[in-house]
Amino acid sequence: MSIRVVVADDQTAVREGLALMLSLLDDVEVVGEAADGDQAVELVGRERPDVALMDLRMPRRDGVAATALIKARFPATRVVVLTTFADDEHILGALRAGAVGYLTKDAGRVQIAQAVRAAAIGQAVLDPLVQQRLLAAAAGDAPAPAAARELPDGLTAREAEVLRLIAGGLSNREIARRLHVTEVTVKSHINRLFAKAGVRDRAQAVRYAYQHGLSA
């Protein structure tokens, strides 16, 4: 049987793109799209999907509040968060609300598909960066909140993660395997982070990572 999915995101292009991508999978059926948290809860109540793919920042009712309502009212539906935010406040808020998965929007098509399939059978799937932050928090070594500690030069969470892996000596192929994305996606991340950081090669990138506390 197909995995029935509801996609919730207030950005039309993102929402429709995710729905199209998921609909191309043989084992997934997209049964609805929501533009805000209230619509997401309503759709889940009407369609009773296996999985809800949920953004966090949405009008009327945000993704955390929507996740909590879905968990309380329709516990058979598993929520996977897909968002641009990877700070402690959003991660812990979503997981405490009942989300079983948490990915950033830098996640590739394969990773999103894996997360949906895993959630449908009750397994948790977390972005590698999210896992690191949770482990750090559990060890009592969590970084400062995002408001006090922003990533340098406008790096995204995924670009920072790629930089950490570069500093750890991983090749593009190894990074792709670690993050469950293609090498093309890794090269794209590297090109963007090199441009933002003002570095020309991997040696300079490693030096930059150590200078900014982003080493592996």
Side-chain angles (χ1 to χ4, degrees), residues 72-153:
R73 296 178 182 176
F74 316 109
T77 297
R78 276 87 177 210
V79 177
V80 175
V81 168
L82 182 64
T83 182
T84 57
F85 303 99
D87 58 273
D88 294 350
E89 180 181 357
H90 286 96
I91 294 168
L92 294 175
L95 295 180
R96 286 169 179 162
V100 300
Y102 196 111
L103 301 176
T104 68
K105 285 184 177 176
D106 289 324
R109 176 179 56 85
V110 173
Q111 191 176 6
I112 294 171
Q114 289 175 338
V116 168
R117 289 168 178 143
I121 58 175
Q123 295 180 355
V125 177
L126 300 175
D127 185 278
L129 178 60
V130 172
Q131 293 182 37
Q132 287 187 3
R133 296 186 74 93
L134 290 175
L135 290 171
D141 190 30
R149 181 183 180 275
E150 298 292 343
L151 291 171
D153 298 315

Side-chain angles (χ1 to χ4, degrees), residues 57-211:
R57 289 284 181 90
M58 293 187 292
R60 297 177 65 189
R61 189 187 302 275
D62 66 25
V64 171
T67 296
L69 271 178
I70 290 169
K71 177 70 173 177
R73 296 178 182 176
F74 316 109
T77 297
R78 276 87 177 210
V79 177
V80 175
V81 168
L82 182 64
T83 182
T84 57
F85 303 99
D87 58 273
D88 294 350
E89 180 181 357
H90 286 96
I91 294 168
L92 294 175
L95 295 180
R96 286 169 179 162
V100 300
Y102 196 111
L103 301 176
T104 68
K105 285 184 177 176
D106 289 324
R109 176 179 56 85
V110 173
Q111 191 176 6
I112 294 171
Q114 289 175 338
V116 168
R117 289 168 178 143
I121 58 175
Q123 295 180 355
V125 177
L126 300 175
D127 185 278
L129 178 60
V130 172
Q131 293 182 37
Q132 287 187 3
R133 296 186 74 93
L134 290 175
L135 290 171
D141 190 30
R149 181 183 180 275
E150 298 292 343
L151 291 171
D153 298 315
L155 294 181
T156 66
R158 180 46 61 91
E159 289 163 359
E161 175 66 6
V162 170
L163 181 58
R164 287 188 182 96
L165 296 176
I166 290 174
L170 275 66
S171 67
N172 287 2
R173 178 172 296 181
E174 290 168 332
I175 293 172
R177 289 175 179 169
R178 178 76 63 88
L179 300 182
H180 306 289
V181 298
T182 66
E183 286 188 62
V184 172
T185 298
V186 171
K187 290 176 182 177
S188 177
H189 288 317
I190 290 174
N191 288 338
R192 287 198 299 269
L193 77 86
F194 274 26
K196 291 178 180 180
V199 300
R200 295 189 301 273
D201 54 39
R202 294 176 91 92
Q204 290 185 356
V206 171
R207 188 179 307 113
Y208 177 93
Y210 276 91
Q211 289 172 343

